[in-house]
Amino acid sequence: MHDASTHESVFDGKRRARLDEIMKRYPTKQAALLPALWMVQEAHGWVSDQAMAEVADVLELTPAYVKGVVTFYTMYHQHPVGKYFIQVCTTTPCNICGAEGVVEAFLQHTGCGELGATSKDGRYTVVEVECLGACGFATPVLVNDDFIENVTSETVPDLLERYR
Ligand code: FES
């Protein structure tokens, strides 16, 4: 998934061509900021200050503006995360259905130990998130882009088998 070092330029070659295509769809370069940041995250797994500066340069924005957007949206990682980024809803409706137990099971079976930490093998990072909009299917979990409902502490080990 991550095919470049964080020190390499993101918008060279094919990615630059893709970004140019995206920019054509918008009236201003600034409007392409979110997809540009998404491309950075696809390439590096997270958005470093250096990458924010590159995005700012390409889109003719200030690095401070880009950083403001990155820090606003929780979907952008500001530090390296595991290959599998696991988000567990722990808002009240899910919580009363056992979400805390689901979180504990993930922390234990991934080896992460604590929320926000990455497992030693680099595979997993587990975080809690607010309502994922599937309150009737507690507990919903996002593993990268996969949305999985009805997760329980008992089903966590089997679920993780899919993400090795
Ligand atoms: S409270 Fe968990 S999905 Fe809504």
Side-chain angles (χ1 to χ4, degrees):
M1 175 172 137
H2 308 157
D3 59 358
S5 120
T6 53
H7 298 294
E8 284 174 21
S9 169
V10 175
F11 297 109
D12 281 345
K14 278 185 187 163
R15 278 197 215 94
R16 179 62 209 226
R18 205 170 121 209
L19 183 62
D20 287 342
E21 272 307 306
I22 289 169
M23 284 195 286
K24 278 188 208 157
R25 297 185 212 150
Y26 297 107
T28 63
K29 285 187 173 181
Q30 179 178 349
L33 178 53
L34 297 186
L37 290 170
W38 200 248
M39 287 170 70
V40 170
Q41 190 153 293
E42 267 179 7
H44 292 169
W46 66 294
V47 186
S48 66
D49 283 350
Q50 186 183 331
M52 288 182 220
E54 187 186 347
V55 168
D57 191 42
V58 170
L59 299 183
E60 297 170 10
L61 301 167
T62 65
Y65 182 87
V66 174
K67 188 161 190 127
V69 170
V70 170
T71 54
F72 179 79
Y73 291 105
T74 56
M75 66 187 185
Y76 297 119
H77 308 312
Q78 294 168 64
H79 50 79
V81 296
K83 178 179 173 194
Y84 299 112
F85 187 69
I86 300 170
Q87 304 179 65
V88 183
C89 171
T90 53
T91 302
T92 307
C94 287
N95 219 344
I96 57 179
C97 292
E100 287 298 331
V102 173
V103 169
E104 280 307 313
F106 273 119
L107 292 178
Q108 184 191 335
H109 292 285
T110 57
C112 289
E114 61 183 285
L115 288 166
T118 295
S119 57
K120 284 202 178 88
D121 59 11
R123 282 209 172 98
Y124 307 105
T125 304
V126 182
V127 298
E128 293 182 344
V129 290
E130 298 296 326
C131 182
L132 288 171
C135 320
F137 305 93
T139 295
V141 170
L142 264 170
V143 182
N144 294 347
D145 296 333
D146 295 345
F147 195 80
I148 305 151
E149 296 169 338
N150 301 311
V151 178
T152 67
S153 55
E154 290 79 23
T155 62
V156 164
D158 276 352
L159 191 158
L160 284 172
E161 285 300 316
R162 290 187 243 159
Y163 301 98
R164 291 287 171 199

